[in-house]
Amino acid sequence: MNKQNFYLTTPLYYVNAEPHIGSAYTTMAADTICRFEKLKGKNAYLLTGVDEHGGKIENTAKSRNISPKAHCDEITLKFEELWKLLNIDYQRFSRTSSENHNKIVQIFFELVKAKGDIYQAEYKGLYCLACEDFKNERELLEGKLCPTHKTQVQEYTENNYFFALSKYNEQIRQFLNDNPDFIYPQFRKHEVLAWLDEGLRDFPISRNSVKWGIPIPDDKEQTIYVWFDALLGYLSPLIEDKINLQDLNIDNFAQIVKSLDLWPVSLHLIGKDILRFHAVYWIAMLMSAELPLPKRLFGHGFLTKDGEKMGKTLGNIIVPQEIINKYGIDAIRFYFLFNIPFGQDGDFSEQIFIETVNAYLANRLGNLFSRVLKLLENNLNSQIPAGLNLDFNSEIAQSGISLANKVDSLMHNFELDLALKEIFNYIDKLNLYLTETKPWTLFKEESETARQKAIICLVEVLEGLRIVANVLFPFMPDLGLKMLNIFNLTKTQNWEELSKWAYLKPESEIKNTQGALFQRIENIQKIN
């Protein structure tokens, strides 16, 4: 039986500067979603990468007295190192400076031009270099400031190639009406509909003044606009794996794409600031080329620190490597995925971070494991006894058996924080069951009935923790694997095994030889 494919992408991160906590947050979430789909048995494929062209990178490289390519190589390496540090299990890293990507973008440009959707005209208007986007007067702040970056936009006049975006205004609206679950969270869909109500305008897709980019075919004086280039980075790696690019042309481009196993994209995961490019520009580009459209798009919120927007001038930027080295991967992944409602803006407070991580990972989960394993060691030589008769209809069993499906229903709607809370609700039930049954007291009684009750309690808690270890793994792979190892497992189990009870084999040894499951964080000096 063939596995169902699931293709997820992060944004291609702009390499004008080193990776920040926002890009780490997006990628941790993407990795979690992808790992969860793998847990369900799907062929899940995660693509991440970098967007390397444009005027901003050209200027940054010039200010550093190095070539744009050297700058991109240096920053790209920092992204790859951070993803390794965060244990991101990606299958492909897309670079828009690669020769193969450039060829594919040029062929796509020719295809769309042949459809009559690209033409030349003079553009005069306002441009935000930080956004790499054109701006309308009405969306600017006082003083002609970009509402996102608070920097002054530039007057821009050039003879460029334009993409006929306005032609697809109603087609995009119809697509959104026909696919009501395409954009998540749902309130972001209203933003897109508002842009459609205003009426889409054709936009320039080339630059005469920017040299660091992909040349326009048959017009080497102009380079392709960074977004028209970067969005194709989701597709180009799949095409180059499918066909020798010498055989790719505008006549077979659509046929090749439609034959790809992983296309269309199952989920584009992005920050809310690039919603327009993905929900409007990208969809129109694919419509023009008559290519299958993405299935879902999720735009998450921004991060703040202690209630304030992060910035160099405030001195409150969170450097991902610093907090990872200070607190560990498990704590970082847990806090950002648990404490921030996915899709909304979220805040990082170091004090709340320490309190949250200690309360859930050290106290609720870590202490439970420690208590039950110690009781098993002291009273049963760390082994599961034979001949047990577990009650499949008990509340603890039924809650455990149904846990994976409950988490799945929340993950389907990208409610990562609620999925984690569902898991810890069950951990609380296991803690309560252990506390109320008091097996440490029952083992001291001489009655065989009391002893059997104590044994069943321990084994049922362990059965529950086995399921917990599997469903926690996508969120915290390091901690999850440590838990799985306690059950003599080297990887997550099959999805079907998560709805089974009495799975632990008689006489199997359940023992933790790896030290404390999670070390409590003591109050230490703050990062900033």
Side-chain angles (χ1 to χ4, degrees):
M1 182 178 177
N2 291 332
K3 288 185 176 182
Q4 184 179 348
N5 292 321
F6 184 87
Y7 178 34
L8 187 156
T9 70
T10 71
L12 300 190
Y13 299 107
Y14 207 44
V15 294
N16 63 303
E18 295 185 16
H20 51 73
I21 194 64
S23 38
Y25 174 55
T26 309
T27 311
M28 287 188 289
D31 180 65
T32 298
I33 294 168
C34 206
R35 286 179 185 271
F36 193 80
E37 294 299 325
K38 286 179 184 176
L39 179 63
K40 289 164 59 182
K42 292 184 182 179
N43 175 38
Y45 186 102
L46 174 61
L47 179 140
T48 187
V50 287
D51 173 7
E52 301 176 86
H53 289 135
K56 188 159 55 170
I57 289 171
E58 191 173 65
N59 292 343
T60 301
K62 185 178 180 180
S63 71
R64 300 181 63 211
N65 294 316
I66 61 175
S67 70
K69 182 65 165 64
H71 169 82
C72 290
D73 288 344
E74 178 185 325
I75 302 299
T76 296
L77 180 60
K78 292 182 183 297
F79 274 94
E80 292 176 320
E81 289 172 345
L82 180 58
W83 296 167
K84 183 178 180 179
L85 188 61
L86 282 168
N87 198 358
I88 305 300
D89 183 26
Y90 60 86
Q91 281 61 58
R92 193 61 182 269
F93 194 95
S94 181
R95 293 192 63 173
T96 63
S97 66
S98 75
E99 185 178 343
N100 285 342
H101 173 79
N102 291 0
K103 288 178 181 177
I104 291 168
V105 170
Q106 288 179 321
I107 294 171
F108 183 89
F109 180 96
E110 294 280 39
L111 172 60
V112 175
K113 186 179 179 183
K115 287 285 300 292
D117 287 343
I118 293 178
Y119 62 91
Q120 280 188 278
E122 183 180 83
Y123 177 82
K124 184 175 182 180
L126 302 169
Y127 188 76
C128 174
L129 184 62
C131 290
E132 294 281 11
D133 191 21
F134 302 94
K135 300 295 180 182
N136 296 323
E137 287 271 8
R138 62 179 174 273
E139 63 182 305
L140 299 178
L141 303 176
E142 187 178 348
K144 292 187 176 180
L145 298 181
C146 166
T148 301
H149 296 96
K150 308 298 188 292
T151 54
Q152 197 163 45
V153 297
Q154 303 171 355
E155 295 280 353
Y156 176 88
T157 303
E158 267 191 8
N159 187 279
N160 295 136
Y161 290 85
F162 278 70
F163 175 68
L165 182 65
S166 59
K167 175 179 173 181
Y168 294 95
N169 201 106
E170 295 312 307
Q171 282 184 244
I172 294 173
R173 187 192 303 278
Q174 188 61 51
F175 169 69
L176 295 178
N177 289 337
D178 293 343
N179 299 274
D181 292 335
F182 172 64
I183 298 176
Y184 264 77
Q186 285 287 322
F187 61 82
R188 303 230 186 272
K189 178 180 176 181
H190 302 311
E191 298 176 42
V192 179
L193 291 174
W195 295 329
L196 297 176
D197 290 341
E198 290 176 6
L200 301 178
R201 298 191 305 168
D202 297 352
F203 70 98
I205 57 168
S206 71
R207 294 290 182 278
N208 182 266
S209 56
V210 176
K211 302 308 176 188
W212 177 240
I214 301 172
I216 297 283
D218 302 322
D219 187 348
K220 304 305 180 186
E221 295 301 312
Q222 303 224 28
T223 55
I224 294 174
Y225 172 49
V226 60
W227 277 105
F228 201 86
D229 156 12
L231 290 163
L232 285 158
Y234 300 132
L235 182 55
S236 56
L238 304 184
I239 294 175
E240 65 181 77
D241 288 346
K242 180 74 175 182
I243 185 175
N244 186 322
L245 295 188
Q246 292 181 343
D247 299 326
L248 185 68
N249 54 58
I250 64 172
D251 295 322
N252 67 4
F253 194 97
Q255 178 186 349
I256 294 299
V257 172
K258 290 173 184 176
S259 71
L260 296 172
D261 292 337
L262 292 170
W263 198 263
V265 171
S266 304
L267 173 65
H268 283 309
L269 185 59
I270 61 170
K272 66 179 182 180
D273 54 327
I274 54 175
L275 179 65
R276 183 197 301 264
F277 302 109
H278 289 78
V280 178
Y281 290 17
W282 182 222
I283 299 302
M285 288 164 59
L286 293 171
M287 285 177 169
S288 174
E290 299 181 13
L291 301 179
L293 304 180
K295 295 176 183 177
R296 300 178 94 181
L297 173 66
F298 190 99
H300 68 72
F302 290 156
L303 297 177
T304 57
K305 185 173 188 296
D306 298 319
E308 293 185 328
K309 184 177 179 180
M310 285 181 271
K312 291 181 180 178
T313 55
L314 293 173
N316 66 345
I317 289 177
I318 298 174
V319 179
Q321 291 87 344
E322 286 185 10
I323 59 171
I324 293 167
N325 292 335
K326 187 174 182 180
Y327 294 120
I329 301 170
D330 293 323
I332 300 305
R333 287 182 63 127
F334 176 77
Y335 177 83
F336 282 103
L337 298 174
F338 177 88
N339 219 50
I340 299 172
F342 199 52
Q344 299 179 26
D345 293 347
D347 186 66
F348 178 84
S349 160
E350 198 159 6
Q351 187 59 43
I352 295 174
F353 165 83
I354 292 172
E355 291 171 359
T356 302
V357 167
N358 282 341
Y360 287 90
L361 296 185
N363 296 352
R364 283 172 165 85
L365 179 60
N367 284 351
L368 176 61
F369 249 112
S370 177
R371 291 164 70 199
V372 74
L373 290 176
K374 193 66 177 175
L375 284 165
L376 191 72
E377 179 184 9
N378 291 343
N379 297 281
L380 298 168
N381 198 26
S382 297
Q383 290 187 339
I384 302 296
L388 293 181
N389 186 20
L390 300 185
D391 183 3
F392 286 79
N393 295 314
S394 69
E395 182 185 355
I396 213 72
Q398 287 300 306
S399 295
I401 290 167
S402 63
L403 179 62
N405 286 330
K406 287 180 180 178
V407 173
D408 184 30
S409 66
L410 294 166
M411 292 294 287
H412 179 75
N413 292 326
F414 314 115
E415 295 172 304
L416 276 65
D417 57 309
L418 296 183
L420 269 173
K421 288 177 174 64
E422 185 68 41
I423 295 169
F424 274 86
N425 284 341
Y426 182 60
I427 291 170
D428 286 343
K429 285 185 179 180
L430 294 175
N431 266 307
L432 182 63
Y433 176 43
L434 190 70
T435 300
E436 290 183 341
T437 306
K438 296 182 176 62
W440 51 89
T441 301
L442 295 174
F443 276 121
K444 294 175 182 177
E445 296 182 15
E446 296 181 1
S447 163
E448 181 60 27
T449 301
R451 180 177 174 79
Q452 282 299 307
K453 185 177 180 181
I455 291 172
I456 287 173
C457 173
L458 293 187
V459 174
E460 286 194 321
V461 170
L462 287 168
E463 286 284 355
L465 285 172
R466 171 187 63 86
I467 295 169
V468 165
N470 281 274
V471 292
L472 267 184
F473 178 83
F475 298 90
M476 293 174 286
D478 285 9
L479 182 64
L481 184 59
K482 196 172 182 179
M483 293 169 64
L484 289 166
N485 289 164
I486 292 171
F487 295 101
N488 306 303
L489 298 168
T490 57
K491 60 181 181 180
T492 53
Q493 297 176 278
N494 294 330
W495 184 254
E496 294 75 20
E497 292 174 311
L498 305 189
S499 58
K500 292 181 179 178
W501 202 244
Y503 179 88
L504 299 174
K505 295 178 180 178
E507 299 182 5
S508 60
E509 188 175 65
I510 310 296
K511 198 169 187 177
N512 181 15
T513 59
Q514 307 165 86
L517 188 66
F518 185 86
Q519 197 70 43
R520 181 179 176 81
I521 298 173
E522 301 301 334
N523 284 316
I524 50 183
Q525 187 177 358
K526 287 191 174 184
I527 294 169
N528 288 318

